[in-house]
Amino acid sequence: MIASTVPNTAKQEAETHGIPGVEAAIWTERMVSALVNGVEGGRWYSLMDKVYAPATLQLAWQKVQANRGAAGVDGQSVERFAAQANRYLQELGQDLRQGAYRPAAVKRVEIPKGPGQTRPLGIPTVKDRIVQMAVKLVIEPIFELQFLESSYGFRPGRGCKDALREVDRLLKAGYTHVVDADLKRYFDTIPHDRLLARVADSISDGRVLDLLNGWLRQDILHDSRRWTPTGGTPQGAVISPLLANIYLHPLDSHLMARGYRSVRYADDFVILCRSAAEARAALEEVQSWIEAHGLQLHPDKTHLGDCRQPGHGSSFSATVLKPGNAGCATRA
């Protein structure tokens, strides 16, 4: 195991400024200071060396190992990787430094979603999960500093119970008319080019952007079929929840700028209003934004409701509490 030589004061400073996700093994005091005070031009350069640093890869491996998970297309399990972890991590670091790393295909499986329904789950190889985790550890604090309080899904220190408490608070404050919204096949339809452009607004390290682009365009293998996706980011990939939040962050900002109270958990969200008229206007507003950004509202799962009337409220709580959502049993 590689011990961190970075003092914990970096993480303490980040916590003081309310920046979640900062790991002291990666984020030095100087980097945290730049994060707090802003970098020139608002974009971060030279992050790749942080990704392939031995301490980063070691920490990434520890997190992947703790999460366990199935083997990818190469058949290598977490247990098999663990048997020679030091050698594999050294090889990964060398490949990343030399630009020789290439992601493998993602194995797709179907998991139960409800009566007669399934949802696709992508399983990258263990090595790809480690590299994705390393990138996530490096770039997540940059975006956490931007994300709004109305976003709760798959964020460090936040979870679905926090989201439900905020919904309850707003209902008690009189925001009883709701727009209950769900995006149709969101993780399969995020436009790649627009997503990468949003990441590039904050990150200018071309090698990191190339890694993200490579994962978005990884071949998918399902039974005997193999194809290259033209949109979306695989559910099950380590980096996907962060990318999904990055793409929807401007929606949170759009709603806040127009005075709406919203609570979002990944691709499920509610807008809480004081009147039916305000809720109808909010639905029109969000419908326009969603369509303009290459997405679709789910027609069967998006509706207006009045929480004062039995049977006419929001299904948001049932949605975010469904099995598999991070942060329900414990904080993420």
Side-chain angles (χ1 to χ4, degrees):
M1 179 177 175
I2 302 172
S4 169
T5 58
V6 180
N8 287 331
T9 49
K11 188 169 185 177
Q12 291 167 358
E13 183 179 349
E15 291 172 347
T16 299
H17 290 279
I19 308 169
V22 169
E23 294 285 351
I26 301 164
W27 281 81
T28 64
E29 289 183 76
R30 181 179 177 184
M31 290 175 66
V32 171
S33 178
L35 189 62
V36 171
N37 298 315
V39 292
E40 185 176 354
R43 290 183 172 89
W44 287 76
Y45 297 82
S46 302
L47 293 172
M48 190 63 188
D49 61 320
K50 312 300 186 299
V51 172
Y52 60 66
T56 305
L57 292 177
Q58 178 67 43
L59 180 58
W61 157 237
Q62 291 171 2
K63 290 181 177 292
V64 168
Q65 185 178 31
N67 290 337
R68 301 179 64 82
V73 295
D74 61 355
Q76 186 180 53
S77 65
V78 170
E79 291 76 17
R80 282 181 56 192
F81 189 97
Q84 300 187 61
N86 286 337
R87 178 169 72 86
Y88 289 140
L89 291 177
Q90 289 174 1
E91 291 173 353
L92 268 181
Q94 181 176 340
D95 287 346
L96 289 165
R97 278 193 305 272
Q98 297 177 350
Y101 164 80
R102 297 292 182 273
V106 173
K107 181 169 73 174
R108 172 169 284 192
V109 297
E110 300 289 334
I111 61 174
K113 183 179 181 181
Q117 293 183 316
T118 62
R119 69 178 176 94
L121 182 70
I123 305 176
T125 65
V126 174
K127 290 183 179 180
D128 287 342
R129 298 206 292 268
I130 292 169
V131 181
Q132 288 188 19
M133 181 65 77
V135 170
K136 178 176 179 286
L137 291 170
V138 171
I139 71 172
E140 186 172 49
I142 296 170
F143 294 99
E144 274 294 322
L145 197 62
Q146 302 172 19
F147 291 160
L148 300 181
E149 288 294 312
S150 57
S151 168
Y152 290 86
F154 308 105
R155 295 182 57 190
R158 316 194 103 203
C160 59
K161 291 183 179 179
D162 300 308
L164 297 180
R165 278 191 284 268
E166 177 61 9
V167 170
D168 184 62
R169 185 189 71 80
L170 288 168
L171 290 174
K172 290 176 178 176
Y175 296 89
T176 56
H177 295 266
V178 300
V179 179
D180 203 342
D182 184 282
L183 295 176
K184 185 176 181 180
R185 297 177 60 243
Y186 174 59
F187 281 86
D188 292 330
T189 58
I190 304 173
H192 286 167
D193 291 344
R194 295 186 187 186
L195 171 58
L196 288 170
R198 290 198 181 152
V199 177
D201 286 340
S202 299
I203 294 175
S204 290
D205 189 320
R207 296 180 67 184
V208 172
L209 295 175
D210 285 345
L211 284 177
L212 296 174
N213 183 54
W215 292 324
L216 291 175
R217 304 181 196 280
Q218 276 176 282
D219 280 0
I220 296 174
L221 187 63
H222 187 201
D223 296 330
S224 60
R225 296 171 52 228
R226 185 180 184 121
W227 71 94
T228 303
T230 58
T233 179
Q235 292 191 66
V238 173
I239 200 69
S240 290
L242 174 59
L243 295 178
N245 276 330
I246 290 171
Y247 196 70
L248 285 183
H249 167 65
L251 172 61
D252 300 335
S253 300
H254 182 82
L255 292 172
M256 184 181 71
R258 281 151 184 78
Y260 292 114
R261 274 76 171 176
S262 65
V263 177
R264 181 172 64 80
Y265 192 93
D267 56 334
D268 299 300
F269 60 96
V270 287
I271 306 170
L272 297 103
C273 305
R274 288 193 178 276
S275 69
E278 184 184 359
R280 286 193 297 270
L283 178 57
E284 292 179 4
E285 190 75 43
V286 78
Q287 178 77 55
S288 176
W289 190 97
I290 292 295
E291 291 178 354
H293 291 81
L295 303 171
Q296 283 184 287
L297 287 174
H298 198 299
D300 300 326
K301 298 181 180 180
T302 300
H303 64 273
L304 299 175
D306 182 350
C307 290
R308 299 171 302 176
Q309 303 299 321
H312 292 274
S314 170
S315 62
F316 182 74
S317 60
T319 301
V320 300
L321 284 172
K322 62 188 176 185
N325 270 346
C328 293
T330 59
R331 284 178 175 245

